[in-house]
Amino acid sequence: MEKQEYLSWLSSYTDAEPCTDSQTHLPYYIRANLLKTTPEEYLKWTKLKVIPTFLPYAFRVEDPPDSGLGNTIDYATGWMTTQSLSSMLPPHILNPMPGDRVLDICAAPGSKTTQCAALMHNKGIILANDKNKGRISALVNNLERLGVINTTTMNQDGGRFTTSHKFNKIIVDAPCSGLGSNESAHTWWDELYSRNISALQTAILRRAYSVLEPGGTLIYSTCTYSPDENEQPVFRILENNPDARLEKLDIPNSEPGLNEFGSEFKNAARIYPHKFNSEGFFVAKIRKVD
Amino acid sequence: MGEKRFKTYLKDRFGIVLPKDVCFEGGKTQRVMNSELKEFRTPTPKGIRASRMKGVFPKPTTNFIQLFGNLATKNTIEVSREDALNYFRSNDLETIIPAELGYVILTHNGAVLGIGFYRDGKIENMLPKGRRIRVA
């Protein structure tokens, strides 16, 4: 899709025009690893120039080193990891606690899994699944570097996911067109692509919802803007499961989900770079009522 | 090598006493996990690699030591920031701090860097190749 056409399409969903170029100038964010340090200790220890965010363990980095944040002592010791602020939202909203049983059904490369483990203080259990065997290596490397000992990995197609276990907290960070995170995605993207991948996202969401305990919470997220990939799969779950509810989110500088799918979508959140200062995202919190 | 022998080694060599809910599984290669995960029925690997046998002694992994090395009371060596960078560049280090022959835990300003092998004032770098960093 041509850029002007894409921007015109995008501006129908948000009150300002999210400039795709702004994605190349988005700040770098890091997360202090709570399994090895505290935000206070990390701030005293690091030589990086960091600015606090609304999440106590997340920081914006000013003037990152030319060699990259992955080539710092901070990264090598596992005291911090790189992760966009938007990507930290699903675990933050899920709020996993010690003792919880968490499923991350599209887990690789593991930024959200390791954030959940940190919030759980390595207690409880996380099952981190991914369809792509190659990407599981990256997930395992991150689990090892960050010292995660409450997690086991699994290699299943999320759309056909089966397990005898039930979970009280689930993350579905679905594969998507990446319009919010990849500045050139619009060059090959079209609405047909979104409609096709929407079927896969819905299948994954259905499988995940089927292993969610009554009373449990499921977070659905993508890094794209297309309603077919965001509101639509969530709408399908709400439509087919009378026990599913969309719970309200409180995210600064976010916009509500699209009203055309129902008034309850005001409870979901759309994240735009020009407002949130991190990559574009969509997040919805679904509760399975008892 | 079983869980009991590895825990004894950690206590004897480094003075590390692990929390009660930290468990192990495996044979020559031990994996560390929490007790809840150990009870979780799954055929997939749990937790992270903790040690492997090197000769007759277990060698704790860098990742394991980075997580639990702060519990050590002996055979730890504090290094300068410059030496910490050298360590992550995979260079061997020299020290005037006395230590027993064998594995030592390297720290810098409260952070555990990893493990080295101490002999006659020299610390052989044990950092896995994949953990090296390029620092200007």
Side-chain angles (χ1 to χ4, degrees):
Chain A
M1 187 180 272
E2 290 299 321
K3 191 167 176 180
Q4 276 313 315
E5 191 186 354
Y6 169 67
L7 290 175
S8 166
W9 171 84
L10 197 52
S11 63
S12 63
Y13 298 114
T14 182
D15 58 2
E17 192 176 80
C19 176
T20 49
D21 292 338
S22 72
Q23 289 175 9
T24 60
H25 305 297
L26 288 175
Y28 290 93
Y29 290 94
I30 57 172
R31 172 167 60 81
N33 181 13
L34 304 180
L35 298 177
K36 296 189 179 181
T37 186
T38 62
E40 298 76 23
E41 184 183 36
Y42 179 70
L43 274 176
K44 281 184 198 161
W45 183 84
T46 185
K47 302 286 184 200
L48 296 171
K49 212 159 118 189
V50 295
I51 313 289
T53 69
F54 75 101
L55 296 178
Y57 47 79
F59 303 95
R60 199 179 79 223
V61 184
E62 301 261 292
D63 305 325
D66 293 339
S67 52
L69 290 165
N71 282 305
T72 57
I73 291 186
D74 308 43
Y75 190 87
T77 52
W79 273 34
M80 75 79 163
T81 194
T82 53
Q83 188 176 354
S84 83
L85 190 61
S86 304
S87 164
M88 294 184 213
L89 289 173
H92 166 68
I93 295 162
L94 187 68
N95 193 24
M97 312 284 273
D100 279 340
R101 292 161 75 93
V102 176
L103 168 66
D104 188 352
I105 198 167
C106 307
S111 54
K112 295 171 191 70
T113 305
T114 54
Q115 185 183 349
C116 285
L119 295 170
M120 295 162 78
H121 306 291
N122 257 339
K123 313 289 185 199
I125 292 164
I126 302 176
L127 177 57
N129 176 71
D130 204 274
K131 180 186 176 181
N132 187 324
K133 213 167 192 173
R135 278 163 56 88
I136 285 184
S137 314
L139 165 66
V140 167
N141 283 340
N142 279 321
L143 296 175
E144 300 230 344
R145 181 177 63 85
L146 297 170
V148 173
I149 61 167
N150 69 344
T151 299
T152 184
T153 57
M154 195 175 259
N155 178 209
Q156 278 196 31
D157 180 345
R160 295 173 183 167
F161 183 81
T162 56
T163 176
S164 57
H165 299 289
K166 292 276 186 184
F167 302 87
N168 66 329
K169 292 184 179 172
I170 297 179
I171 290 184
V172 180
D173 185 45
C176 69
S177 55
L179 293 171
S181 59
N182 182 344
E183 62 171 308
S184 61
H186 70 275
T187 58
W188 52 261
W189 174 84
D190 59 29
E191 290 187 84
L192 180 62
Y193 176 89
S194 279
R195 278 198 288 277
N196 286 338
I197 202 169
S198 179
L200 171 65
Q201 293 162 330
T202 304
I204 296 171
L205 197 44
R206 280 192 178 131
R207 294 309 311 151
Y209 193 77
S210 74
V211 294
L212 182 65
E213 287 175 357
T217 305
L218 184 154
I219 306 297
Y220 177 77
S221 62
T222 71
C223 56
T224 198
Y225 304 119
S226 166
D228 286 324
E229 300 179 56
N230 293 337
E231 285 85 353
Q232 181 70 31
V234 176
F235 176 80
R236 292 280 177 229
I237 289 298
L238 299 178
E239 184 184 48
N240 293 311
N241 296 279
D243 56 358
R245 302 278 186 278
L246 259 189
E247 295 210 323
K248 186 158 179 55
L249 301 178
D250 182 20
I251 304 170
N253 305 313
S254 65
E255 291 187 16
L258 300 180
N259 196 43
E260 66 198 62
F261 288 86
S263 60
E264 64 270 38
F265 277 86
K266 67 179 182 298
N267 291 340
R270 290 182 149 253
I271 308 294
Y272 293 103
H274 63 292
K275 291 194 166 180
F276 194 72
N277 212 13
S278 185
E279 63 184 349
F281 236 73
F282 172 83
V283 198
K285 181 180 183 182
I286 303 169
R287 181 173 295 279
K288 186 185 263 188
V289 294
D290 271 319
Chain B
M1 181 190 56
E3 172 172 352
K4 195 175 171 188
R5 190 170 158 205
F6 185 52
K7 280 185 170 172
T8 303
Y9 171 80
L10 290 172
K11 190 176 178 188
D12 291 348
R13 177 71 197 173
F14 301 112
I16 292 177
V17 178
L18 294 168
K20 281 184 181 163
D21 67 339
V22 173
C23 301
F24 294 86
E25 268 183 10
K28 285 186 176 175
T29 299
Q30 289 278 303
R31 298 186 70 87
V32 61
M33 65 210 68
N34 73 25
S35 53
E36 292 161 276
L37 186 59
K38 188 167 184 174
E39 298 301 316
F40 189 68
R41 283 177 294 108
T42 174
T44 53
K46 300 169 183 173
I48 62 173
R49 279 171 293 184
S51 73
R52 62 184 173 84
M53 292 302 291
K54 194 166 183 184
V56 292
F57 292 109
K59 179 196 170 293
T61 62
T62 298
N63 297 316
F64 176 84
I65 284 299
Q66 283 190 348
L67 187 61
F68 293 111
N70 59 342
L71 301 174
T73 55
K74 58 183 176 176
N75 287 315
T76 65
I77 295 179
E78 171 76 10
V79 302
S80 65
R81 183 174 173 81
E82 187 52 40
D83 271 348
L85 288 168
N86 269 328
Y87 177 76
F88 284 120
R89 288 182 190 120
S90 214
N91 294 326
D92 292 341
L93 306 177
E94 293 191 357
T95 181
I96 53 167
I97 300 170
E100 295 170 29
L101 175 71
Y103 293 120
V104 289
I105 293 171
L106 302 172
T107 61
H108 169 65
N109 203 13
V112 179
L113 309 179
I115 202 156
F117 191 88
Y118 176 86
R119 181 187 291 139
D120 299 332
K122 290 192 174 166
I123 302 166
E124 188 185 340
N125 198 310
M126 295 280 154
L127 188 73
K129 281 180 190 169
R131 296 296 298 275
R132 288 179 192 170
I133 60 173
R134 291 177 292 107
V135 187

